[in-house]
Amino acid sequence: MKKIILLALSVGLMFGACSKDFLELSATDTISKSDIDKISENSPHLGIATIKGLYTYNIKEFSGGTTGHDDFGQKGYDIYTDMLAGDVNLNTSTYGWYDKISNLQNIINFTSHENYKPWRFYYYMVRGANNIIAGYEGKEINNTEKKVLAEAKALRAYMYYNLVVMYTKGYEANEKLLPIYPAPVLENLSAKTTQEVFEFMITDLTDSMRLFEEVGAVGKEKNLNYSVTKGILAYVYATKGTNDALIEAAKLTDDIILSGAYPLASKEGLLGGFNKMSSNPNWMWGAVLTSENNLDLVSWWGQMDVYTYSYAYVGDTKGMSTELYKAIPDKDVRKQQFVSNVVTDVTGVTMNIGKENNVPANKFYSAKGKLFGGQRIIESDYVFMRVEEMYLLNAEVKARLGQEAAAKEILKEFLALRMADVTFVDNLSGSNLKDEILLQIRIELWGEGKAYAAIKRNKADFKYGSNHIYFPNANFSFDDPKMTFMVPQDEMLNNPVYNN
């Protein structure tokens, strides 16, 4: 099976190995639908191997087509968006990674790697998902293959969702920015309207849910499962933001919460390191990492965790903005997730991190424990979605719908495990309630790549803290050009029909 997975991944590499070929679709570097059909006949497990290969690629170093140490799949772009949101600070810039994100120079430069890497990565993943879908759709397939098809459709929609979040300013129905590739075609395609992209995502996700239901696969599998698909669809509807879409988002998040499949994290869990899927029953989707993944410096843990032997460990720490940290009540357990001035490991060794740098030393620490340099090869897991997101999204969309009593009820249920007194929520209404929910999203999901999308869909401001190294105390509107990624130059050069 390992050989099959590697074969599937190597087939995928024909679609994206070079730095400028992520949408170059010539017959010499592409596998056609007829080729897929022939391979599928001889290897019915190809789809299973390909989906596993895509999950591996999602956490792989250099998957954005560069050799940058900030290039390692979805979690790398979570850091990008968290830094743009202003809540995650680059405390120092000794090695230069994230410097051009923090100072906003490369966001407004369509030739930059920061604009190129996510685009290339997400379209590569779309292409891989298309190979699975083309091999299965419209054919007689068994339940195992239906489940893989459901995962592939959800994965494709998730990639488009990230493209929408990063490369558009929001739901502007007639704006044309993103090409839609519904199949592994041999030609470039033009950009479609944002409305068409949303329709494509919604169709994929509803098809995925139907397939999961058909085969009875509605459990808690670690990869893209039924509940995760519902969660992605809820995000898509909330981002669209129309009244009917918000109603759908509320229903979907209600379903996830009321299912009881995923409990909210305990206070102990919130200080438990967020490092193993097996010990975090609130995680809905994650990646279990072992030494076989061979991740080290170039990883999310390497960039974010002061105990992992990598960049944060040697001084390039990332921390919470001063004002956001001060907004956490002293008796809120999440205040304890962050450490200022000095971090101490289990042996008593100390690290001076600087005043008010607010490093997440008690929120994220490796499965090796709080030991400086203790983790070199990454064996701590990645989290992509946890149930707390669904509680907060549920409160958000209900507040946006004017269902304030219901929004406050779910917000209080969520906060009750974090602080002793939640009665202040009863006095909130209107914009104050919406602002509080957004604040809780920024606190709870700090460092997890969720705040940027939340600020955009709520049409709020990006607030940079007084300890930001380049833009202290700056505010940027959600639609400021500096806050949205640009379609990269490579797409313009390599896709002659992009603007058709």
Side-chain angles (χ1 to χ4, degrees):
M1 180 57 75
K2 179 180 273 189
K3 288 182 179 179
I4 295 173
I5 294 170
L6 291 173
L7 171 63
L9 194 54
S10 67
V11 169
L13 287 172
M14 290 191 292
F15 295 97
C18 300
S19 63
K20 294 184 178 181
D21 70 351
F22 51 92
L23 287 180
E24 290 175 355
L25 301 175
S26 68
T28 59
D29 63 4
T30 320
I31 185 167
S32 69
K33 186 178 184 303
S34 61
D35 290 334
I36 294 168
D37 291 340
K38 290 175 183 176
I39 295 170
S40 297
E41 288 172 7
N42 297 319
S43 179
H45 300 297
L46 180 65
I48 298 171
T50 302
I51 197 72
K52 289 183 178 180
L54 289 172
Y55 288 137
T56 298
Y57 203 76
N58 194 34
I59 55 93
K60 189 179 184 297
E61 73 272 35
F62 314 134
S63 53
T66 73
T67 57
H69 287 199
D70 55 350
D71 183 353
F72 43 84
Q74 180 59 48
K75 296 306 289 184
Y77 309 125
D78 285 349
I79 296 177
Y80 274 15
T81 58
D82 272 338
M83 287 192 168
L84 268 191
D87 291 341
V88 173
N89 286 346
L90 178 64
N91 289 334
T92 59
S93 185
T94 305
Y95 297 93
W97 306 117
Y98 305 104
D99 193 68
K100 296 298 190 293
I101 283 283
S102 293
N103 65 22
L104 306 181
Q105 287 183 13
N106 280 3
I107 295 301
I108 57 174
N109 175 9
F110 82 137
T111 69
S112 72
H113 277 168
E114 283 76 7
N115 286 306
Y116 164 76
K117 282 181 287 191
W119 185 278
R120 190 243 190 213
F121 169 77
Y122 290 125
Y123 274 109
Y124 178 98
M125 295 288 284
V126 166
R127 197 173 293 174
N130 280 341
N131 289 343
I132 299 169
I133 295 166
Y136 284 157
E137 203 160 40
K139 298 179 181 177
E140 289 292 327
I141 56 177
N142 61 36
N143 282 354
T144 298
E145 292 163 335
K146 281 186 180 180
K147 181 177 176 294
V148 172
L149 179 58
E151 292 177 64
K153 281 179 169 276
L155 188 65
R156 182 170 68 178
Y158 178 68
M159 297 305 147
Y160 272 107
Y161 167 73
N162 283 287
L163 284 163
V164 164
V165 167
M166 295 176 71
Y167 289 90
T168 76
K169 295 176 182 177
Y171 184 74
E172 296 178 15
N174 296 316
E175 182 181 37
K176 288 187 174 184
L177 284 174
L178 304 174
I180 296 174
Y181 287 86
V185 294
L186 294 179
E187 70 273 1
N188 291 288
L189 298 178
S190 60
K192 298 298 183 183
T193 65
T194 299
Q195 179 177 340
E196 289 174 290
V197 177
F198 271 80
E199 290 171 354
F200 187 69
M201 291 188 290
I202 291 167
T203 298
D204 260 357
L205 292 163
T206 52
D207 282 353
S208 175
M209 288 167 56
R210 174 183 54 79
L211 286 162
F212 278 126
E213 290 167 356
E214 279 184 14
V215 301
V218 293
K220 295 176 61 174
E221 294 86 353
K222 68 180 180 181
N223 289 318
L224 263 169
N225 60 35
Y226 181 64
S227 293
V228 172
T229 302
K230 280 188 176 182
I232 297 169
L233 183 55
Y235 273 129
V236 169
Y237 278 130
T239 302
K240 185 177 181 181
T242 57
N243 194 72
D244 58 335
L246 293 175
I247 290 171
E248 292 301 319
K251 289 178 182 176
L252 289 161
T253 48
D254 274 338
D255 286 349
I256 294 168
I257 293 166
L258 294 173
S259 75
Y262 301 93
L264 285 166
S266 64
K267 289 185 178 181
E268 294 75 19
L270 291 168
L271 300 174
F274 283 63
N275 51 41
K276 279 295 177 184
M277 194 166 182
S278 59
S279 57
N280 287 278
N282 57 315
W283 288 19
M284 296 173 63
W285 179 23
V288 176
L289 303 183
T290 69
S291 58
E292 290 186 5
N293 295 106
N294 201 32
L295 297 180
D296 47 29
L297 300 178
V298 188
S299 64
W300 183 91
W301 284 98
Q303 291 289 359
M304 294 293 290
D305 175 33
V306 294
Y307 299 105
T308 294
Y309 184 86
S310 189
Y311 289 100
Y313 164 73
V314 294
D316 272 10
T317 60
K318 288 80 181 173
M320 179 181 271
S321 73
T322 294
E323 283 65 32
L324 185 58
Y325 179 75
K326 289 180 177 178
I328 307 173
D330 290 339
K331 293 185 178 180
D332 186 328
V333 67
R334 294 170 298 179
K335 193 97 169 184
Q336 300 173 43
Q337 292 178 330
F338 300 89
V339 177
S340 296
N341 300 321
V342 175
V343 177
T344 305
D345 79 356
V346 292
T347 68
V349 175
T350 61
M351 177 192 296
N352 189 340
I353 58 172
K355 186 178 180 182
E356 293 190 353
N357 278 340
N358 309 318
V359 168
N362 293 326
K363 179 176 183 180
F364 305 123
Y365 54 86
S366 86
K368 295 286 187 181
K370 297 180 180 180
L371 176 66
F372 290 134
Q375 176 174 244
R376 288 175 176 252
I377 301 300
I378 306 303
E379 297 182 69
S380 305
D381 298 341
Y382 284 164
V383 57
F384 296 122
M385 183 185 290
R386 54 190 179 99
V387 76
E388 285 77 8
E389 300 173 39
M390 299 298 105
Y391 279 78
L392 290 164
L393 186 60
N394 185 275
E396 175 196 316
V397 296
K398 286 177 178 176
R400 290 165 66 184
L401 284 165
Q403 299 174 11
E404 293 192 348
K408 288 191 280 189
E409 180 182 355
I410 201 71
L411 182 61
K412 287 168 66 177
E413 182 181 348
F414 166 81
L415 289 174
L417 288 174
R418 285 143 180 80
M419 58 182 73
D421 185 2
V422 298
T423 56
F424 73 96
V425 173
D426 294 326
N427 299 320
L428 299 174
S429 62
S431 60
N432 289 333
L433 176 59
K434 295 174 186 176
D435 289 347
E436 181 64 31
I437 294 167
L438 183 55
L439 173 64
Q440 293 303 326
I441 291 171
R442 292 168 59 207
I443 293 170
E444 178 71 22
L445 302 173
W446 185 95
E448 299 178 53
K450 309 298 179 181
Y452 176 82
I455 292 167
K456 274 190 166 183
R457 67 176 177 261
N458 284 280
K459 297 183 176 7
D461 286 346
F462 294 94
K463 300 176 181 179
Y464 282 34
S466 57
N467 56 337
H468 196 279
I469 60 176
Y470 291 111
F471 296 99
N473 300 309
N475 278 5
F476 299 95
S477 173
F478 77 95
D479 58 357
D480 189 304
K482 293 187 288 296
M483 295 293 110
T484 297
F485 290 76
M486 299 184 72
V487 177
Q489 181 187 45
D490 293 74
E491 172 70 13
M492 302 299 188
L493 293 175
N494 294 327
N495 185 354
V497 298
Y498 175 77
N499 288 312
N500 287 6

